[in-house]
Amino acid sequence: MASKLVGNVTSRTAPGWLILLAVACDSTGPSFPDVAGTYTGTVTASLSGGGSLDGSMNMVVAQSDEQLTITGSITFLGETTQLPAITGTINETGFFTATAGGFSGSTSDPNCGTWTTTSATLTFSGATARLQESASSPLCGTLSLFGTLTRA
């Protein structure tokens, strides 16, 4: 009787178990947004003591799964500076986490002393990249850089 009951329950629930097993064993893993491409847009630099300056930025993103390598340039007052390559990962929500490269945590400046990065974020959403970075210096205060770049 017990084996007949188990057989009856098993034959009736087998399709449900197969669906549950298929869902549980889905190995597609996380889905990272496709952000590869060239982004351009306006960036604004502002100093805590007052004043701001608009410039432009070009950012090229190469992607392999969640791994990103970012290169680019930034232009203020007609002078273009190449930015050092930076590598890192992107999560499912589009948040970039740097793992190597880029500028170091501090940079020496003859007029302001040592600039130390205090925060930096880069997020991707659709065809848009939003960046925000802040650095502080004992002589010049806080410098903030923010912008929204669009993928071509």
Side-chain angles (χ1 to χ4, degrees), residues 114-137:
T114 301
W115 285 103
T116 303
T117 301
T118 55
S119 69
T121 60
L122 175 61
T123 55
F124 294 88
S125 178
T128 302
R130 288 181 182 81
L131 64 102
Q132 184 171 355
E133 186 169 0
S134 294
S136 64
S137 148

PDB file of all heavy atoms in Angstrom, residues 114-137:
ATOM      1  N   THR A 114      48.580  68.511  -2.064  1.00  0.00           N
ATOM      2  CA  THR A 114      48.196  67.160  -2.467  1.00  0.00           C
ATOM      3  C   THR A 114      46.682  67.030  -2.560  1.00  0.00           C
ATOM      4  O   THR A 114      45.972  67.301  -1.593  1.00  0.00           O
ATOM      5  CB  THR A 114      48.740  66.123  -1.467  1.00  0.00           C
ATOM      6  OG1 THR A 114      50.166  66.237  -1.435  1.00  0.00           O
ATOM      7  CG2 THR A 114      48.363  64.711  -1.865  1.00  0.00           C
ATOM      8  N   TRP A 115      46.201  66.623  -3.750  1.00  0.00           N
ATOM      9  CA  TRP A 115      44.782  66.323  -3.936  1.00  0.00           C
ATOM     10  C   TRP A 115      44.567  64.857  -3.565  1.00  0.00           C
ATOM     11  O   TRP A 115      45.278  63.989  -4.048  1.00  0.00           O
ATOM     12  CB  TRP A 115      44.357  66.517  -5.386  1.00  0.00           C
ATOM     13  CG  TRP A 115      44.227  67.954  -5.791  1.00  0.00           C
ATOM     14  CD1 TRP A 115      45.109  68.673  -6.527  1.00  0.00           C
ATOM     15  CD2 TRP A 115      43.147  68.824  -5.494  1.00  0.00           C
ATOM     16  NE1 TRP A 115      44.641  69.950  -6.703  1.00  0.00           N
ATOM     17  CE2 TRP A 115      43.437  70.075  -6.073  1.00  0.00           C
ATOM     18  CE3 TRP A 115      41.954  68.682  -4.771  1.00  0.00           C
ATOM     19  CZ2 TRP A 115      42.587  71.171  -5.970  1.00  0.00           C
ATOM     20  CZ3 TRP A 115      41.109  69.777  -4.673  1.00  0.00           C
ATOM     21  CH2 TRP A 115      41.418  70.993  -5.265  1.00  0.00           C
ATOM     22  N   THR A 116      43.599  64.606  -2.706  1.00  0.00           N
ATOM     23  CA  THR A 116      43.270  63.242  -2.298  1.00  0.00           C
ATOM     24  C   THR A 116      41.830  62.940  -2.704  1.00  0.00           C
ATOM     25  O   THR A 116      40.914  63.693  -2.346  1.00  0.00           O
ATOM     26  CB  THR A 116      43.420  63.067  -0.771  1.00  0.00           C
ATOM     27  OG1 THR A 116      44.761  63.415  -0.412  1.00  0.00           O
ATOM     28  CG2 THR A 116      43.135  61.635  -0.359  1.00  0.00           C
ATOM     29  N   THR A 117      41.645  61.864  -3.448  1.00  0.00           N
ATOM     30  CA  THR A 117      40.297  61.465  -3.857  1.00  0.00           C
ATOM     31  C   THR A 117      39.499  61.057  -2.626  1.00  0.00           C
ATOM     32  O   THR A 117      39.960  60.252  -1.825  1.00  0.00           O
ATOM     33  CB  THR A 117      40.360  60.294  -4.859  1.00  0.00           C
ATOM     34  OG1 THR A 117      41.120  60.711  -5.987  1.00  0.00           O
ATOM     35  CG2 THR A 117      38.976  59.872  -5.298  1.00  0.00           C
ATOM     36  N   THR A 118      38.320  61.643  -2.484  1.00  0.00           N
ATOM     37  CA  THR A 118      37.468  61.325  -1.333  1.00  0.00           C
ATOM     38  C   THR A 118      36.282  60.453  -1.720  1.00  0.00           C
ATOM     39  O   THR A 118      35.748  59.733  -0.887  1.00  0.00           O
ATOM     40  CB  THR A 118      36.967  62.612  -0.650  1.00  0.00           C
ATOM     41  OG1 THR A 118      36.314  63.434  -1.620  1.00  0.00           O
ATOM     42  CG2 THR A 118      38.128  63.381  -0.031  1.00  0.00           C
ATOM     43  N   SER A 119      35.840  60.522  -2.974  1.00  0.00           N
ATOM     44  CA  SER A 119      34.763  59.649  -3.445  1.00  0.00           C
ATOM     45  C   SER A 119      34.770  59.622  -4.961  1.00  0.00           C
ATOM     46  O   SER A 119      35.201  60.576  -5.604  1.00  0.00           O
ATOM     47  CB  SER A 119      33.391  60.116  -2.941  1.00  0.00           C
ATOM     48  OG  SER A 119      33.024  61.331  -3.564  1.00  0.00           O
ATOM     49  N   ALA A 120      34.308  58.503  -5.502  1.00  0.00           N
ATOM     50  CA  ALA A 120      34.213  58.382  -6.956  1.00  0.00           C
ATOM     51  C   ALA A 120      33.162  57.327  -7.280  1.00  0.00           C
ATOM     52  O   ALA A 120      33.202  56.227  -6.727  1.00  0.00           O
ATOM     53  CB  ALA A 120      35.558  57.988  -7.556  1.00  0.00           C
ATOM     54  N   THR A 121      32.205  57.682  -8.133  1.00  0.00           N
ATOM     55  CA  THR A 121      31.210  56.713  -8.573  1.00  0.00           C
ATOM     56  C   THR A 121      31.014  56.839 -10.079  1.00  0.00           C
ATOM     57  O   THR A 121      31.095  57.920 -10.644  1.00  0.00           O
ATOM     58  CB  THR A 121      29.843  56.899  -7.875  1.00  0.00           C
ATOM     59  OG1 THR A 121      29.346  58.206  -8.163  1.00  0.00           O
ATOM     60  CG2 THR A 121      29.940  56.688  -6.384  1.00  0.00           C
ATOM     61  N   LEU A 122      30.757  55.688 -10.692  1.00  0.00           N
ATOM     62  CA  LEU A 122      30.433  55.619 -12.105  1.00  0.00           C
ATOM     63  C   LEU A 122      29.325  54.585 -12.241  1.00  0.00           C
ATOM     64  O   LEU A 122      29.487  53.439 -11.817  1.00  0.00           O
ATOM     65  CB  LEU A 122      31.651  55.211 -12.933  1.00  0.00           C
ATOM     66  CG  LEU A 122      31.428  54.984 -14.436  1.00  0.00           C
ATOM     67  CD1 LEU A 122      30.933  56.259 -15.124  1.00  0.00           C
ATOM     68  CD2 LEU A 122      32.710  54.485 -15.089  1.00  0.00           C
ATOM     69  N   THR A 123      28.186  55.020 -12.778  1.00  0.00           N
ATOM     70  CA  THR A 123      27.064  54.105 -12.968  1.00  0.00           C
ATOM     71  C   THR A 123      26.576  54.195 -14.406  1.00  0.00           C
ATOM     72  O   THR A 123      26.617  55.251 -15.028  1.00  0.00           O
ATOM     73  CB  THR A 123      25.897  54.426 -12.009  1.00  0.00           C
ATOM     74  OG1 THR A 123      25.528  55.788 -12.169  1.00  0.00           O
ATOM     75  CG2 THR A 123      26.275  54.163 -10.563  1.00  0.00           C
ATOM     76  N   PHE A 124      26.119  53.051 -14.896  1.00  0.00           N
ATOM     77  CA  PHE A 124      25.596  52.949 -16.253  1.00  0.00           C
ATOM     78  C   PHE A 124      24.116  52.608 -16.192  1.00  0.00           C
ATOM     79  O   PHE A 124      23.697  51.799 -15.358  1.00  0.00           O
ATOM     80  CB  PHE A 124      26.323  51.844 -17.023  1.00  0.00           C
ATOM     81  CG  PHE A 124      27.776  52.126 -17.264  1.00  0.00           C
ATOM     82  CD1 PHE A 124      28.736  51.765 -16.329  1.00  0.00           C
ATOM     83  CD2 PHE A 124      28.191  52.750 -18.430  1.00  0.00           C
ATOM     84  CE1 PHE A 124      30.078  52.017 -16.557  1.00  0.00           C
ATOM     85  CE2 PHE A 124      29.530  53.009 -18.664  1.00  0.00           C
ATOM     86  CZ  PHE A 124      30.482  52.634 -17.720  1.00  0.00           C
ATOM     87  N   SER A 125      23.352  53.225 -17.075  1.00  0.00           N
ATOM     88  CA  SER A 125      21.927  52.929 -17.198  1.00  0.00           C
ATOM     89  C   SER A 125      21.525  53.169 -18.648  1.00  0.00           C
ATOM     90  O   SER A 125      21.591  54.309 -19.124  1.00  0.00           O
ATOM     91  CB  SER A 125      21.110  53.815 -16.258  1.00  0.00           C
ATOM     92  OG  SER A 125      19.739  53.556 -16.411  1.00  0.00           O
ATOM     93  N   GLY A 126      21.146  52.099 -19.328  1.00  0.00           N
ATOM     94  CA  GLY A 126      20.817  52.235 -20.748  1.00  0.00           C
ATOM     95  C   GLY A 126      22.022  52.727 -21.511  1.00  0.00           C
ATOM     96  O   GLY A 126      23.102  52.149 -21.429  1.00  0.00           O
ATOM     97  N   ALA A 127      21.875  53.817 -22.248  1.00  0.00           N
ATOM     98  CA  ALA A 127      22.972  54.382 -23.034  1.00  0.00           C
ATOM     99  C   ALA A 127      23.623  55.566 -22.328  1.00  0.00           C
ATOM    100  O   ALA A 127      24.253  56.407 -22.957  1.00  0.00           O
ATOM    101  CB  ALA A 127      22.456  54.805 -24.403  1.00  0.00           C
ATOM    102  N   THR A 128      23.496  55.621 -20.996  1.00  0.00           N
ATOM    103  CA  THR A 128      23.997  56.748 -20.227  1.00  0.00           C
ATOM    104  C   THR A 128      24.991  56.289 -19.165  1.00  0.00           C
ATOM    105  O   THR A 128      24.785  55.272 -18.510  1.00  0.00           O
ATOM    106  CB  THR A 128      22.831  57.481 -19.530  1.00  0.00           C
ATOM    107  OG1 THR A 128      21.902  57.909 -20.534  1.00  0.00           O
ATOM    108  CG2 THR A 128      23.303  58.673 -18.744  1.00  0.00           C
ATOM    109  N   ALA A 129      26.059  57.058 -19.008  1.00  0.00           N
ATOM    110  CA  ALA A 129      27.020  56.846 -17.933  1.00  0.00           C
ATOM    111  C   ALA A 129      27.036  58.111 -17.082  1.00  0.00           C
ATOM    112  O   ALA A 129      27.153  59.221 -17.612  1.00  0.00           O
ATOM    113  CB  ALA A 129      28.405  56.560 -18.487  1.00  0.00           C
ATOM    114  N   ARG A 130      26.889  57.940 -15.774  1.00  0.00           N
ATOM    115  CA  ARG A 130      26.920  59.084 -14.861  1.00  0.00           C
ATOM    116  C   ARG A 130      28.144  58.950 -13.963  1.00  0.00           C
ATOM    117  O   ARG A 130      28.353  57.894 -13.362  1.00  0.00           O
ATOM    118  CB  ARG A 130      25.654  59.143 -14.030  1.00  0.00           C
ATOM    119  CG  ARG A 130      24.449  59.564 -14.839  1.00  0.00           C
ATOM    120  CD  ARG A 130      23.176  59.640 -13.990  1.00  0.00           C
ATOM    121  NE  ARG A 130      22.048  60.005 -14.802  1.00  0.00           N
ATOM    122  CZ  ARG A 130      21.354  59.170 -15.564  1.00  0.00           C
ATOM    123  NH1 ARG A 130      21.684  57.898 -15.611  1.00  0.00           N
ATOM    124  NH2 ARG A 130      20.341  59.594 -16.296  1.00  0.00           N
ATOM    125  N   LEU A 131      28.925  60.023 -13.910  1.00  0.00           N
ATOM    126  CA  LEU A 131      30.106  59.981 -13.064  1.00  0.00           C
ATOM    127  C   LEU A 131      30.093  61.132 -12.087  1.00  0.00           C
ATOM    128  O   LEU A 131      29.545  62.200 -12.361  1.00  0.00           O
ATOM    129  CB  LEU A 131      31.376  60.002 -13.917  1.00  0.00           C
ATOM    130  CG  LEU A 131      31.651  61.239 -14.760  1.00  0.00           C
ATOM    131  CD1 LEU A 131      32.698  62.099 -14.089  1.00  0.00           C
ATOM    132  CD2 LEU A 131      32.146  60.811 -16.120  1.00  0.00           C
ATOM    133  N   GLN A 132      30.683  60.849 -10.937  1.00  0.00           N
ATOM    134  CA  GLN A 132      30.840  61.873  -9.909  1.00  0.00           C
ATOM    135  C   GLN A 132      32.101  61.544  -9.134  1.00  0.00           C
ATOM    136  O   GLN A 132      32.296  60.402  -8.708  1.00  0.00           O
ATOM    137  CB  GLN A 132      29.632  61.913  -8.984  1.00  0.00           C
ATOM    138  CG  GLN A 132      29.719  63.016  -7.959  1.00  0.00           C
ATOM    139  CD  GLN A 132      28.419  63.199  -7.191  1.00  0.00           C
ATOM    140  OE1 GLN A 132      27.422  62.566  -7.470  1.00  0.00           O
ATOM    141  NE2 GLN A 132      28.449  64.075  -6.208  1.00  0.00           N
ATOM    142  N   GLU A 133      32.956  62.537  -8.983  1.00  0.00           N
ATOM    143  CA  GLU A 133      34.196  62.338  -8.253  1.00  0.00           C
ATOM    144  C   GLU A 133      34.494  63.584  -7.433  1.00  0.00           C
ATOM    145  O   GLU A 133      34.237  64.705  -7.872  1.00  0.00           O
ATOM    146  CB  GLU A 133      35.349  62.056  -9.216  1.00  0.00           C
ATOM    147  CG  GLU A 133      36.633  61.706  -8.528  1.00  0.00           C
ATOM    148  CD  GLU A 133      37.696  61.182  -9.483  1.00  0.00           C
ATOM    149  OE1 GLU A 133      37.448  61.090 -10.694  1.00  0.00           O
ATOM    150  OE2 GLU A 133      38.791  60.865  -8.981  1.00  0.00           O
ATOM    151  N   SER A 134      35.025  63.371  -6.245  1.00  0.00           N
ATOM    152  CA  SER A 134      35.415  64.484  -5.379  1.00  0.00           C
ATOM    153  C   SER A 134      36.830  64.248  -4.881  1.00  0.00           C
ATOM    154  O   SER A 134      37.229  63.116  -4.609  1.00  0.00           O
ATOM    155  CB  SER A 134      34.485  64.607  -4.168  1.00  0.00           C
ATOM    156  OG  SER A 134      33.190  64.955  -4.580  1.00  0.00           O
ATOM    157  N   ALA A 135      37.574  65.336  -4.767  1.00  0.00           N
ATOM    158  CA  ALA A 135      38.929  65.294  -4.219  1.00  0.00           C
ATOM    159  C   ALA A 135      39.106  66.518  -3.338  1.00  0.00           C
ATOM    160  O   ALA A 135      38.469  67.556  -3.559  1.00  0.00           O
ATOM    161  CB  ALA A 135      39.961  65.279  -5.341  1.00  0.00           C
ATOM    162  N   SER A 136      39.965  66.384  -2.334  1.00  0.00           N
ATOM    163  CA  SER A 136      40.196  67.527  -1.450  1.00  0.00           C
ATOM    164  C   SER A 136      41.687  67.825  -1.364  1.00  0.00           C
ATOM    165  O   SER A 136      42.533  66.954  -1.558  1.00  0.00           O
ATOM    166  CB  SER A 136      39.616  67.260  -0.060  1.00  0.00           C
ATOM    167  OG  SER A 136      40.294  66.178   0.542  1.00  0.00           O
ATOM    168  N   SER A 137      41.958  69.097  -1.072  1.00  0.00           N
ATOM    169  CA  SER A 137      43.320  69.595  -0.941  1.00  0.00           C
ATOM    170  C   SER A 137      43.352  70.532   0.260  1.00  0.00           C
ATOM    171  O   SER A 137      42.403  71.298   0.472  1.00  0.00           O
ATOM    172  CB  SER A 137      43.698  70.336  -2.219  1.00  0.00           C
ATOM    173  OG  SER A 137      44.571  71.388  -1.960  1.00  0.00           O
TER     174      SER A 137
END
